[in-house]
Amino acid sequence: MEKKLKDLREEYLKIPIPKELNDVVQAALNEKPRKKPRVGRNILVSAAAALLILTASVNISPAAAKAMSDIPIVEKVIKVITFVEWKEEANNSSAVIKTPAISGLENKQLEDSLNDKYLSESKQLYKEFTDSMSKLKEGEKGNISVESGYVILTDNETILSVQRYTDTIQASSSTESQFDTVDKKNEVLLTLNSLFKNDRYLQVISENIKEQMKRQMAEDPEKIYWVEDDDFTAFKGIDENQNFYINEDGKLVIAFNSYEAAPGYMGAVEFIIPTKVLSDLLVGDQYIH
């Protein structure tokens, strides 16, 4: 994994940087990421060092061997790190782009495909920003703000849900996100389809979202969703490619980008789907419960 990240990092840094863009801040891959206190995972190097000490103690002392039998086995650590971070301010515009990378999966094909995708997304975003800057006339201000990063939404024994987001401000603001949810035990990428027995879930979830939209609008007049049946822009329903994730409570969350289901001032919106609505449709309760 370290070699793969190093190769990807070198590829990233091959992107030509215009002379006027002069502040590239990159994450040092050889730095060990800080562990998260709330998760309580050991850094791999520390775990390896501890294992060496324990092994030496066992060879020397039978008492140490007995004590070691009571110590839990160190499990594999799947984590998300900041692969590279780039910051720039120019022509009254700014961009901050953080690229995540997943490490610790034994399924290297999955790990590499996700990391390649994350890198490709960041490179494309970088290119779009620099292209917009290059089109400015001398003395013209871009007035663009781009911030891209990631959030670990869920990280437990079963799943890892990661959100990559991009907030863009240019005359108006918008937020776009993509989500990946990984089954950590079986090391597979979960899709919406894979969670259900058949495609009836599409209609059930869509109807529940419409109900939530109407209820929220009735309770709060400042909330507006495009849900009226006679409106050509109305939300018709989700499809199998709908953005989703599974939260820490084991609930399915359906996510929409800005302008997908509501006016721009509402921003990105999400709906937690009650599990009782889905229980007969799920293939199992290991993920959603």
Side-chain angles (χ1 to χ4, degrees), residues 26-199:
Q26 56 194 40
L29 294 178
N30 58 350
E31 285 188 7
K32 302 174 181 62
R34 297 178 181 177
K35 65 180 181 180
K36 296 183 176 180
R38 69 181 182 88
V39 180
R41 298 177 298 181
N42 291 327
I43 297 175
L44 287 174
V45 174
S46 299
L51 186 58
L52 287 173
I53 294 172
L54 287 171
T55 303
S57 299
V58 168
N59 290 333
I60 297 171
S61 168
K66 173 64 173 66
M68 186 177 178
S69 66
D70 297 327
I71 298 176
I73 297 175
V74 177
E75 297 182 355
K76 62 183 179 182
V77 178
I78 300 171
K79 58 182 178 290
V80 183
I81 63 174
T82 299
F83 167 56
V84 67
E85 179 178 354
W86 172 77
K87 299 179 180 179
E88 178 60 34
E89 292 187 7
N91 295 323
N92 204 39
S93 298
S94 64
V96 178
I97 302 173
K98 293 182 180 180
T99 305
I102 294 178
S103 67
L105 289 174
E106 294 179 2
N107 183 347
K108 295 305 176 185
Q109 182 176 1
L110 173 60
E111 185 177 280
D112 292 345
S113 66
L114 289 173
N115 292 338
D116 287 344
K117 178 176 69 171
Y118 300 157
L119 179 63
S120 177
E121 290 171 353
S122 289
K123 288 173 67 176
Q124 179 61 30
L125 189 59
Y126 173 91
K127 183 178 184 301
E128 290 173 359
F129 181 79
T130 55
D131 284 350
S132 66
M133 292 296 98
S134 65
K135 293 177 182 178
L136 296 176
K137 298 177 181 179
E138 185 176 353
E140 185 178 2
K141 302 297 184 182
N143 299 318
I144 301 172
S145 174
V146 177
E147 180 178 352
S148 178
Y150 64 94
V151 179
I152 301 172
L153 299 168
T154 306
D155 188 2
N156 55 36
E157 293 181 356
T158 305
I159 62 172
L160 172 69
S161 288
V162 181
Q163 173 190 13
R164 286 111 51 231
Y165 65 86
T166 300
D167 294 329
T168 304
I169 300 176
Q170 185 178 14
S172 61
S173 62
S174 66
T175 299
E176 293 187 2
S177 294
Q178 297 185 64
F179 302 81
D180 288 314
T181 297
V182 176
D183 175 338
K184 294 169 68 173
K185 292 183 177 179
N186 298 304
E187 299 202 354
V188 294
L189 185 66
L190 299 180
T191 64
L192 203 53
N193 266 340
S194 68
L195 301 173
F196 298 95
K197 299 174 184 176
N198 53 55
D199 62 4

Side-chain angles (χ1 to χ4, degrees), residues 201-211 235-239:
Y201 75 91
L202 294 171
Q203 179 181 355
V204 171
I205 293 177
S206 297
E207 290 303 317
N208 182 264
I209 290 174
K210 291 178 183 179
E211 291 174 6
F235 167 71
K236 300 297 190 298
I238 66 168
D239 60 32

